[in-house]
């Protein structure tokens, strides 16, 4: 396709595709909800407990859903709304989708400040995001038993070492993402902005943690990440406007 003027990531076709995927997910969720309620009736479970479980579960999903919404808004700036909507509402996560899209755009020399209008670039980004996530779908069913067995054995032999091992895995993942943040420091003020956003988000997370532990604001535990993301986004918007970035 050479005619880029007719391409739009927000085309009716893309919205129709996104709607079809979301409706399928809704139908699947509704199907299993009905099956679960019927099973609860079959085993004689109190209907009030069933309703309370459904309500508390629905409320608990608000926190991750809020984070997903922020991710969709972030990606929609340059990928349009339908593709991020499909990705983040079904299988993806902002911690993967954004680095995948950013890395592909940087490799192609494309700016992420404007909506992608080149179909080849859009296709490349979509393929990288899709192919990169496939191992997380295929490998867990094949390896999850061995992984769980190994983790259990480590914790059984030495619980303290097991905790250190799991923390190290988490910190390794964070370090991989931090590379994207600190790699542009040499660019001066524009490169320092991601570092400042990281610091603000981390500070917001620390404040939420203190409120949960010291002030016993337990409900904040599920919303600490969304609040930290919002704090970082607000700071990034204000700083960009103030310095003309």
């Amino acid at each position: 396709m050479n005619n880029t003027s007719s391409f739009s990531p927000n085309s009716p076709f893309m919205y129709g595709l996104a709607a079809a995927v979301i409706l399928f997910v809704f139908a699947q969720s509704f199907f299993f909800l009905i099956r679960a309620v019927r099973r609860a009736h079959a085993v004689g479970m109190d209907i009030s407990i069933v309703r309370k479980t459904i309500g508390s579960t629905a409320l608990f999903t608000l926190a991750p859903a809020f984070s997903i919404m922020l991710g969709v808004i972030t990606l929609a700036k340059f990928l349009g709304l339908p593709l991020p909507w499909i990705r983040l509402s079904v299988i993806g996560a902002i911690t993967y989708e954004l680095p995948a899209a950013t890395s592909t755009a940087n490799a192609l020399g494309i700016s992420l400040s404007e909506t992608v209008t080149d179909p080849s670039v859009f296709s490349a980004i979509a393929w990288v995001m899709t192919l990169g996530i496939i191992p997380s779908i295929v490998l867990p069913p094949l390896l999850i038993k061995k992984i769980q067995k190994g983790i259990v054995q480590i914790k059984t032999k030495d619980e303290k070492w097991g905790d250190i091992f799991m923390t190290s895995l988490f910190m390794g993942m964070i370090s991989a993402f931090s590379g994207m943040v600190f790699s542009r420091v040499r660019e001066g003020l524009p490169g320092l902005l991601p570092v400042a956003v990281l610091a603000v988000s981390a500070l917001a997370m620390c404040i939420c943690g203190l409120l949960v532990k010291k002030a016993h604001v337990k409900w904040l535990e599920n919303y600490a990440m969304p609040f930290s993301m919002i704090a970082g986004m607000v700071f990034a918007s204000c700083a960009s406007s103030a310095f003309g970035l």
Side-chain angles (χ1 to χ4, degrees):
M1 293 178 64
N2 296 321
N3 184 14
T4 60
S5 61
S6 61
F7 173 79
S8 172
N10 292 306
S11 65
F13 171 77
M14 290 298 298
Y15 273 105
L17 185 63
V21 173
I22 301 304
L23 286 175
F24 175 79
V25 174
F26 269 120
Q28 186 182 51
S29 302
F30 188 72
F31 171 78
F32 284 107
L33 175 62
I34 297 299
R35 291 290 299 270
V37 172
R38 288 179 177 176
R39 180 59 180 168
H41 282 296
V43 299
M45 185 177 292
D46 189 350
I47 189 62
S48 62
I49 297 178
V50 175
R51 291 174 179 173
K52 183 179 180 180
T53 302
I54 294 174
S56 60
T57 304
L59 183 62
F60 182 77
T61 59
L62 291 178
F66 197 63
S67 299
I68 290 172
M69 183 186 69
L70 294 176
V72 171
I73 293 173
T74 302
L75 290 170
K77 181 179 180 180
F78 59 95
L79 287 178
L81 181 59
L83 180 61
W85 186 19
I86 295 173
R87 299 291 310 179
L88 293 174
S89 61
V90 179
I91 192 172
I94 189 63
T95 52
Y96 163 75
E97 306 294 345
L98 184 57
T102 302
S103 300
T104 308
N106 291 337
L108 296 173
I110 303 299
S111 173
L112 300 180
S113 60
E114 297 180 356
T115 302
V116 174
T117 57
D118 188 332
S120 61
V121 173
F122 184 84
S123 177
I125 293 175
W127 272 111
V128 170
M129 294 165 69
T130 302
L131 294 176
I133 204 71
I134 287 178
S136 67
I137 305 173
V138 177
L139 295 181
L142 301 176
L143 303 177
I144 189 63
K145 287 186 177 180
K146 292 183 178 180
I147 294 174
Q148 287 182 332
K149 184 178 179 180
I151 293 175
V152 170
Q153 287 178 346
I154 292 175
K155 289 191 173 183
T156 301
K157 292 180 180 179
D158 190 335
E159 184 175 353
K160 185 177 181 180
W161 170 246
D163 292 337
I164 294 175
F165 176 74
M166 295 303 297
T167 303
S168 299
L169 290 177
F170 178 76
M171 292 305 298
M173 180 185 69
I174 296 300
S175 299
F177 291 119
S178 298
M180 296 183 61
V181 176
F182 293 98
S183 62
R184 296 178 54 193
V185 172
R186 68 183 66 180
E187 299 178 9
L189 186 58
L192 289 174
L193 180 59
V195 180
V197 173
L198 173 64
V200 170
S201 299
L203 177 61
M205 180 64 77
C206 290
I207 293 174
C208 290
L210 289 174
L211 290 174
V212 172
K213 291 185 176 181
K214 301 298 183 180
H216 304 292
V217 186
K218 296 298 182 181
W219 64 268
L220 189 58
E221 186 173 0
N222 295 326
Y223 295 89
M225 180 174 290
F227 286 163
S228 300
M229 292 176 65
I230 292 175
M233 293 176 68
V234 170
F235 174 80
S237 299
C238 295
S240 298
S241 300
F243 295 101
L245 300 178

